[in-house]
């Protein structure tokens, strides 16, 4: 009898709160269900469709390499969005920051002397991409801080300004004589690709960028969790007025946060245009800006969550190429991503659904224990 | 002197054609934001309208329907389709109390992916081109007026007049009726409206659905006037986001957005027809292209200091 009661005291019953990854997984499952319904509507077999998706993403070394390489940009763009989001900013300007990072590193790749040793070369392009991306983010942050221009609108305008600048810069600086709408392809030695890595993964596009993305995850985690700067930025995001009262400079925080977010997106531009691909196209807005938002939201804006969400979306995007054989439009993958984000947006409902289940379980347990006690 | 007049005669009708879709998008945003729901998905809704009208027109034409009738049907279907899509945003932001910015972004992504998905299922390619758009007409009598006639009443699309009527009706609706007062109040102090016995959720649903309908109209107008095709690659070139910028620049007021969208329309036209304008033909395409967006940014810098969004916009009730 006494043994029973001590056990009860040792483990006090509590209503469990739903962990955020469970919410994300629920959103993913709902997205997959929505995708299946869509496939059924057009009269195809969903199981075959998803099997092809997995096949396309993971069936051999090269495909796995390509999936990771595709995920590289998504990790960085997801981090970029998350970082600004932690400060309460909605960085929708990732595409533009990425384009600027891409064009600067492409130009650097063509104009830096080819005799330059690779480590030095890579250091220079990384710095170039990070600086220009950071500048592009900083402009939006500056306008928000000083002129109260909403960052969503200003960064969308900056996206299009970057789009047209790239449109102008490609023919001006890195024109390909053969194809008028593309930049001259970079030599393999001038991209982030590594010969041994390419060989080891069966000629995939996996490159040094993946390592950068992992480093960026660690660095961003460190900044957010272990430094005063990160604490200040998060405080501004949580409650602006409270943070101001505590002596944190809001305007400065906004600018720093947008600059770092932009720098990450600029780096993504480098890994995309000088790693995953080796050229830039005129008149093409990269989708990664919006995909990054999706990645960040699914990953709950934490670096580790972003990492796994990016791999998941990268697999979807890489695997969709194999869908063509089944007659299912490849846009299925993007539709699923969009649906997942819609469900993530309504995470309050998903969370309350799980919390209700937890509560029921708790009440059941409690009733059971009380019943035992009465006995 | 004659040269300048020729240029003006090219630019002004073009600017009017460019203004109307942005105006419809911005007006849609106005309904939604004034009712208290931030609407970032104007772009997606317009794109979906553009797609829906293109698909409808092409399908109906294949059946051999009268040409003008197919366009009318196309526009109606576009309005309904975008309204259906906007219902998802309304559901998320009103009933499910989601983050409205995120929900809007999700709708944008969903619209891009879904329209392309459907376009590929229906026509087998990412583009849908209609045979021809609306035939431009001279307005009788009015087009004979000197100066004003050739600029505003010659070679006009009938959708332009439709859009202007919608704008006029909206102005009346928002400022001269009980309904408008309630809708605007829902965006400022929803709890006060609720205490007066008005169903805030219902008003917000109406606001968001109207924004879907008008954005759909805007998207269809893009298709049947100057674009002539739904192109999955280019989408609608961020016009929906320009509409949101115009909404802010226009201080969330009907008259303001008429002015601000006309401003953007003018700059878009200058950028697009720059080749034929003597003084600026030498400017590279890229710089001409970024001009409207840069102008928007500058306009926002000048106007945002004193800008005040509807108080409760973005707050679930």
């Amino acid at each position: 009898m006494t043994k029973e009661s001590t056990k009860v005291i040792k483990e006090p019953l509590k209503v469990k709160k739903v962990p955020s990854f469970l919410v994300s997984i629920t959103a993913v499952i709902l997205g997959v269900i929505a995708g299946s319904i869509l496939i059924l509507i057009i009269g195809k077999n969903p199981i075959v469709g998803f099997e092809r998706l997995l096949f396309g993403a993971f069936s051999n070394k090269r495909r796995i390499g390509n999936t990771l390489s595709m995920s590289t940009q998504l990790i960085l763009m997801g981090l970029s969005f998350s970082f600004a989001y932690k400060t309460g900013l909605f960085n929708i300007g990732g595409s533009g920051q990425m384009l600027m990072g891409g064009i600067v590193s492409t130009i650097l790749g063509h104009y830096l002397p080819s005799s330059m040793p690779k480590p030095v070369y890579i250091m220079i392009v990384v710095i170039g991409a990070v600086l220009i991306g950071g500048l592009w983010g900083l402009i939006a942050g500056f306008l928000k801080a000083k002129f109260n221009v909403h960052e969503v609108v200003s960064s969308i305008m900056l996206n299009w300004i970057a789009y047209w600048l790239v449109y102008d810069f490609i023919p001006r600086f890195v024109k390909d004589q053969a194809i008028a709408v593309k930049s001259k392809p970079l030599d393999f030695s001038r991209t982030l690709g590594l010969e041994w890595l390419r060989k080891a993964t069966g000629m995939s596009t996996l490159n040094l960028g993946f390592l950068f993305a992992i480093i960026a995850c660690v660095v961003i985690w460190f900044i957010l969790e272990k430094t005063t700067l990160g604490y200040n930025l998060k405080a501004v995001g949580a409650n602006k007025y409270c943070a101001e009262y505590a002596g944190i400079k809001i305007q400065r925080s906004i600018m720093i946060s947008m600059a770092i977010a932009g720098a990450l997106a600029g780096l993504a531009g480098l890994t995309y245009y000088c790693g995953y691909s080796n050229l830039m196209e005129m008149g093409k807005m990269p989708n990664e800006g919006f995909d990054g938002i999706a990645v960040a939201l699914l990953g709950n804006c934490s670096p580790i969550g972003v990492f796994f969400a990016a791999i998941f979306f990268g697999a979807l995007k890489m695997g969709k190429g194999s869908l063509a054989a089944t007659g299912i439009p490849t846009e299925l993958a993007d539709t699923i991503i969009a649906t997942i984000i819609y469900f993530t947006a309504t995470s309050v409902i998903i969370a309350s659904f799980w919390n209700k289940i937890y509560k029921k379980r708790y009440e059941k347990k409690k009733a059971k224990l009380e019943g035992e006690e009465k006995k | 002197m004659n040269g300048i007049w020729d240029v003006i005669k090219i630019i002004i009708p073009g600017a009017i054609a460019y203004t109307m879709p942005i105006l419809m998008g911005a007006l849609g945003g106005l309904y939604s934001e004034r009712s208290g729901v931030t609407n970032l998905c104007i772009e997606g809704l317009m794109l979906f309208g553009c797609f829906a009208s293109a698909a409808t027109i092409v399908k109906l034409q294949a059946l051999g329907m009268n040409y003008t009738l197919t366009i009318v049907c196309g526009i109606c279907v576009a309005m309904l389709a975008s309204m259906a899509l906007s219902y998802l945003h309304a559901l998320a932001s009103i009933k499910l109390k989601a983050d409205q910015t995120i929900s809007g972004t999700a709708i944008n992504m969903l619209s891009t992916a879904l329209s392309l998905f459907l376009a590929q299922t229906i026509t087998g390619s990412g583009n849908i081109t209609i045979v021809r758009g609306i035939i431009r007409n001279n307005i009788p009598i009015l087009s004979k007026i000197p100066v004003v006639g050739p600029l505003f009443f010659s070679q006009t699309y009938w959708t332009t007049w439709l859009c202007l009527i919608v704008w006029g009706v909206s102005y009346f609706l928002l400022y001269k009726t009980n309904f408008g007062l309630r809708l605007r109040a829902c965006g400022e102090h929803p709890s006060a409206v609720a205490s007066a016995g008005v169903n805030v959720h219902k008003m917000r649903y109406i606001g968001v659905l109207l924004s879907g309908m008008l954005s759909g109209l805007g998207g269809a107008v893009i298709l049947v006037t100057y674009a002539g095709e739904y192109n999955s690659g280019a989408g609608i070139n961020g016009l929906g986001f320009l509409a949101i910028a115009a909404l802010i620049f226009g201080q969330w007021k009907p008259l303001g957005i008429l002015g601000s969208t006309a401003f953007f329309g003018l700059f878009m036209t200058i950028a697009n027809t720059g080749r034929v304008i003597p003084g600026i033909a030498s400017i590279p395409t890229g710089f001409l292209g970024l001009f409207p967006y840069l102008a928007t940014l500058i306009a926002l810098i000048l106007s945002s200091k004193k800008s005040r969004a509807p108080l409760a916009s973005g707050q679930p009730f």
Side-chain angles (χ1 to χ4, degrees), chain A residues 38-39 42 81 85 90 92 139 143 145-150 152-158 160-165 167-169 172 251 283 287 290-291 293-294 297 328-339 341-349, chain B residues 40 43 87-92 95-99 101-103 105-114 116-118 120-121 234 236-239 241-242 244-245 248 284-294 296-297 300-302 304-307:
Chain A
L38 209 57
I39 300 177
I42 62 166
F81 181 84
Y85 199 68
F90 203 89
I92 208 167
I139 296 175
L143 294 181
K146 300 287 178 203
F147 296 101
N148 190 29
V149 178
H150 200 292
V152 168
V153 182
S154 67
S155 49
I156 286 168
M157 296 306 133
L158 285 167
W160 287 99
I161 291 173
Y163 170 97
W164 285 108
L165 277 180
Y167 192 92
D168 185 76
F169 283 179
R172 194 183 291 270
Q251 298 192 338
N287 260 333
F290 290 100
D291 293 337
I293 301 178
L297 294 174
I328 300 168
T330 53
E331 275 55 46
L332 175 76
D334 303 285
T335 316
I336 293 177
I337 292 178
T339 324
I341 296 320
Y342 182 76
F343 287 120
T344 319
T346 57
S347 60
V348 183
I349 297 297
Chain B
L40 262 190
E43 171 93 1
Y87 177 73
L88 281 182
H89 182 56
L91 190 70
K95 183 116 186 288
L96 307 182
K97 304 195 188 330
D99 184 315
T101 320
I102 298 175
S103 162
T105 311
I107 299 288
N108 280 336
M109 294 170 69
L110 190 63
S111 162
T112 316
L114 197 61
L116 184 50
F117 182 88
L118 293 174
Q120 289 199 330
T121 322
I236 52 169
N237 280 327
L239 278 190
F241 288 121
L242 264 182
I244 296 171
I248 297 173
T285 322
F287 291 119
L288 271 180
L290 68 79
F291 190 54
Y293 303 101
L294 190 63
T296 307
L297 206 54
L300 283 170
I301 292 169
L302 296 178
S304 278
K305 256 285 187 282
K306 58 180 172 29
S307 84

Side-chain angles (χ1 to χ4, degrees), chain A residues 256-269:
Chain A
I256 292 175
S257 179
M258 279 307 281
I260 293 179
L264 287 164
L267 191 59

Side-chain angles (χ1 to χ4, degrees), chain A residues 66-127:
Chain A
N66 281 339
T67 299
L68 292 182
S69 157
M70 174 63 101
S71 309
T72 304
Q73 292 73 255
L74 296 177
I75 296 172
L76 289 168
M77 296 303 279
L79 280 179
S80 160
F81 181 84
S82 312
F83 195 80
Y85 199 68
K86 291 267 185 197
T87 320
L89 298 162
F90 203 89
N91 180 22
I92 208 167
S95 302
Q97 293 146 10
M98 188 175 154
L99 275 175
M100 292 312 284
I103 190 73
V104 164
S105 31
T106 304
I107 291 175
L108 283 176
H110 280 294
Y111 283 79
L112 286 178
S114 53
S115 56
M116 194 179 261
K118 191 144 183 181
V120 179
Y121 164 76
I122 284 181
M123 220 159 69
I124 293 177
V125 284
V126 166
I127 291 172

Side-chain angles (χ1 to χ4, degrees), chain B residues 56-81:
Chain B
T56 313
I57 290 172
V58 167
K59 282 281 158 196
L60 287 180
Q61 246 163 23
L63 294 176
M65 202 191 248
N66 171 292
Y67 197 76
T68 315
L69 203 59
T70 59
I71 289 182
V72 174
C73 287
I75 291 176
C76 292
V77 170
M79 286 160 81
L80 287 178

Side-chain angles (χ1 to χ4, degrees), chain A residues 87 228-237 239-254:
Chain A
T87 320
T228 328
L229 172 71
Y231 188 83
N232 287 352
L233 295 182
K234 282 194 292 183
V236 172
N239 189 332
K240 214 160 83 167
Y241 305 104
C242 184
E244 191 170 23
Y245 183 70
I248 298 168
K249 291 192 181 76
I250 309 245
Q251 298 192 338
R252 206 172 127 245
S253 302
I254 288 174

